[in-house]
Amino acid sequence: MGSNSSRLGDLPKNEYLKKLSGTESVSENDPFWNQLLSFSFPAPTSSTDLKLLEEATISVCRSLVENNPRTGNLGALIKVFLSRTKELKLSAECRNHIFIWQTNNALFIICYLLKVFICEMSEEELQLHFTYEEKSGSYSSDSEDLLEELVCCLMQLITDIPLIDLTYEISVEAISTMVVFLSCQLYHKEVLRQSISHKYLMRGRCLPYTSKLVKTLLYNFIRQEKPPPPGAHVFPQQSDGGGLLYGLASGVATGLWTVFTLGGVGSKAAATQAISSPLANQSLLLLLVLANLTDAADAPNPYRQAIISFKNTQDNSPFPSSIPHAFQINFNSLYTTLCEQQTSDQATLLLYTLLHQNSNIRTYMLARTDMENLVLPILEILYHVEERNSHHVYMALIILLILTEDDGFNRSIHEVILKNITWYSERVLTEISLGSLLILVVIRTIQYNMTRTRDKYLHTNCLAALANMSAQFRSLHQYAAQRIISYTCRHLRRYVYVLDKLYFPHSHCSTLQHCFSSLSDNGEELLSLTCSHILRSYASSLFSLLSKKHNKVLEQATQSLRGSLSSNDVPLPDYAQDLNVIEEVIRMMLEIINSCLATSLHHNPNLVYALLYKRDLFEQFRTHPSFQDIMQNIDLVITFFSSRLLQAGAELSVERVLEIIKQGIVALPKDRLKKFPELKFKYVEEEQPEEFFIPYVWSLVYSSAAGLYWSPQDIQLFTMDSD
């Protein structure tokens, strides 16, 4: 930090800070405040600078905490700020640089001190510090509540002050202070259901600002306004002994908005990233915090109500009287920004929130003719699963699941043709439908999950999305069709291997374990051929034995996974515990294939081709007791088309095989395929979703809020991984 470090070290001796934190009361009319607030200091935004500032001022803050109950100086500072905000709008119109500059400095100090006070004391003690009675020189619960007045003032500032170059910084600072006010949650392991945030934000004087605040925060996110360039503010020169932090800028990194990120929950510190719009980023974080506050004991969260009910500006229908805090916003602008910003966790979480809870937004998005602009960024998140935190991946997947609940979406994505998907590296895709690409990415995500994270909810939701789409599969790309079949075969082979290991531990197939675990998709053919020859001789006897025992085996596997085996039960080995999961995946994949064959066989010759190519393995499962029903259509298709290929002779080219398949599709009577109930899955949030979302939202605030720093040692809400 160079000279900055030495000047930071002098802060505890600064005469203005010593007076603010000392034993003498300072009247709100004292000229001292103009001197205190006349500093030119680019607010530190890197974690290093913020930590240094915190360490340098710790003695000052402790003195203020100790003396403020007698002096009320914090309250006086807040009153100075409150009186200035009444003239802020006029000052912006008149371009009064100095007035706005000093008011912003006041808010910067208040925000910093508020964060310290919230960290150091209980909410009851905090409120006492904001209810000082000047006449009696003591605190009283009956005196004016400055904290509520401050929160209301911040909401007014955010919503009413016009955004120009002079007010950009104070707008960001106001939003940051609101975030700090709500940050008491960080210091509690349990989700707060009663707090000062509930007291002030869900009733009383702040409540009328609800819809206006939510609307403003959304528009801040939509507009992505960049900060004014460095040097846009011209402040008067100070003499020695002037503002307390004057001159510190020389040691601070160039630019006011070099924003830091510290990594999400459970992740290591991420590389420093510049945020192009601190105002948009901070607004989005505050919006997510407000939306995820728990309901008050006697009232629902009004900010969530506003988010789930707002309408398009082009919608002229009246709001029902039962919907409070309603407003309108430009859906086209919101949609465009959401498409552009999906690289961030918080933008993906906002998209999830809107799709899941706001039916107006969901209807609008599903009616768009350019859904690829939204879906492609979501697919890219899933494709780079190794580089994303698990929460981001989960939110992206749930968004896909919600979208696939709509049949119109499932049809339209196969009509959108994409060219040269550069980020998909497994294979060159010069031309592919959005639907086929979605299938490829989701199957890749399932495969990654099954081999790495083994998260049951993740693969269940992936399969549910594919199942929702299956009846609408159209003109599947040959690679997508191949991946559907090869992924199913991978689990069929794994399933047979586990059973073989369980019942025939000394068989030849058991010796292939090391091959199976090490081979990639491209190398599975060798294992497939070898296992096929070994297993074909006793597959029927294996499944016959299975029909008698497999229910007991699966029951034991489930109990073992839950840790509920009785003392008399012999624990199953790890590979046997996989049976339940593998059978569930196989069943769902077979149902997906069956759904496509039964409803859209004529649209998918490539799927039939891929199925015929792997027919040996599927034929072995026609007698399996768990899959016999769902195998009927698959077996019929294999038998029907195999017969036609046999009649056509040997040495057929790929083109000729596809031609025979297309002819056969027309000839196959549709009534020969058994009808099954349509596969439909709907996303439903878990009970008490706040137990997941509140820690997640605050982890995003911790890792990506501009100009805010919390010591990792103080965080109780979530666990910080060490670097």
Side-chain angles (χ1 to χ4, degrees), residues 334-511:
L334 178 58
Y335 177 80
T336 301
T337 304
L338 284 168
C339 292
E340 293 171 349
Q341 298 297 320
Q342 285 308 303
T343 51
S344 76
D345 280 71
Q346 47 266 40
T348 303
L349 181 54
L350 176 63
L351 175 58
Y352 159 81
T353 302
L354 295 177
L355 272 175
H356 178 53
Q357 300 187 12
N358 190 314
S359 59
N360 301 318
I361 278 282
R362 184 166 60 252
T363 301
Y364 173 84
M365 288 187 176
L366 289 169
R368 294 281 303 203
T369 58
D370 59 348
M371 278 297 289
E372 67 272 17
N373 292 336
L374 185 67
V375 175
L376 281 173
I378 298 299
L379 294 183
E380 198 166 353
I381 293 169
L382 294 175
Y383 186 78
H384 296 294
V385 58
E386 301 93 338
E387 303 167 14
R388 304 290 183 179
N389 71 68
S390 59
H391 290 355
H392 198 185
V393 171
Y394 191 70
M395 288 297 100
L397 181 57
I398 297 304
I399 287 168
L400 286 186
L401 179 55
I402 292 171
L403 293 173
T404 61
E405 292 171 14
D406 182 75
D407 285 340
F409 171 82
N410 294 332
R411 284 190 298 270
S412 65
I413 56 175
H414 292 288
E415 298 167 1
V416 178
I417 304 301
L418 307 169
K419 307 277 189 180
N420 298 317
I421 308 301
T422 55
W423 48 263
Y424 193 94
S425 60
E426 271 85 350
R427 179 168 298 198
V428 176
L429 300 175
T430 55
E431 185 172 291
I432 189 172
S433 71
L434 179 60
S436 290
L437 180 64
L438 194 157
I439 292 167
L440 289 174
V441 172
V442 171
I443 288 178
R444 185 181 185 274
T445 305
I446 305 173
Q447 191 163 323
Y448 175 85
N449 177 64
M450 292 291 285
T451 56
R452 305 283 185 85
T453 58
R454 303 180 71 82
D455 181 339
K456 180 178 179 181
Y457 291 104
L458 191 66
H459 86 249
T460 299
N461 285 299
C462 282
L463 291 169
L466 288 177
N468 284 346
M469 296 168 57
S470 60
Q472 308 293 336
F473 284 171
R474 295 289 187 274
S475 304
L476 291 181
H477 189 280
Q478 61 182 16
Y479 185 49
Q482 175 190 326
R483 293 297 292 124
I484 291 171
I485 300 301
S486 65
Y487 181 72
T488 308
C489 290
R490 183 186 186 94
H491 284 283
L492 291 174
R493 288 192 292 269
R494 177 67 181 173
Y495 186 74
V496 172
Y497 161 73
V498 171
L499 289 175
D500 174 76
K501 184 84 171 176
L502 192 61
Y503 294 119
F504 303 94
H506 303 296
S507 76
H508 295 294
C509 194
S510 297
T511 64

Side-chain angles (χ1 to χ4, degrees), residues 474-581:
R474 295 289 187 274
S475 304
L476 291 181
H477 189 280
Q478 61 182 16
Y479 185 49
Q482 175 190 326
R483 293 297 292 124
I484 291 171
I485 300 301
S486 65
Y487 181 72
T488 308
C489 290
R490 183 186 186 94
H491 284 283
L492 291 174
R493 288 192 292 269
R494 177 67 181 173
Y495 186 74
V496 172
Y497 161 73
V498 171
L499 289 175
D500 174 76
K501 184 84 171 176
L502 192 61
Y503 294 119
F504 303 94
H506 303 296
S507 76
H508 295 294
C509 194
S510 297
T511 64
L512 297 173
Q513 177 180 10
H514 67 284
C515 296
F516 190 92
S517 59
S518 63
L519 285 175
S520 65
D521 287 344
N522 294 330
E524 283 184 5
E525 292 306 313
L526 173 62
L527 182 61
S528 174
L529 291 171
T530 309
C531 268
S532 291
H533 286 293
I534 294 173
L535 293 174
R536 192 173 296 150
S537 60
Y538 66 88
S540 60
S541 60
L542 181 62
F543 292 150
S544 176
L545 176 64
L546 177 65
S547 65
K548 300 174 183 176
K549 293 188 175 182
H550 90 289
N551 287 334
K552 177 63 176 176
V553 171
L554 290 177
E555 182 183 345
Q556 280 187 274
T558 303
Q559 289 176 345
S560 181
L561 284 170
R562 293 173 179 168
S564 57
L565 281 173
S566 70
S567 57
N568 297 326
D569 289 323
V570 178
L572 290 173
D574 291 342
Y575 56 79
Q577 295 181 20
D578 288 343
L579 273 176
N580 208 356
V581 175

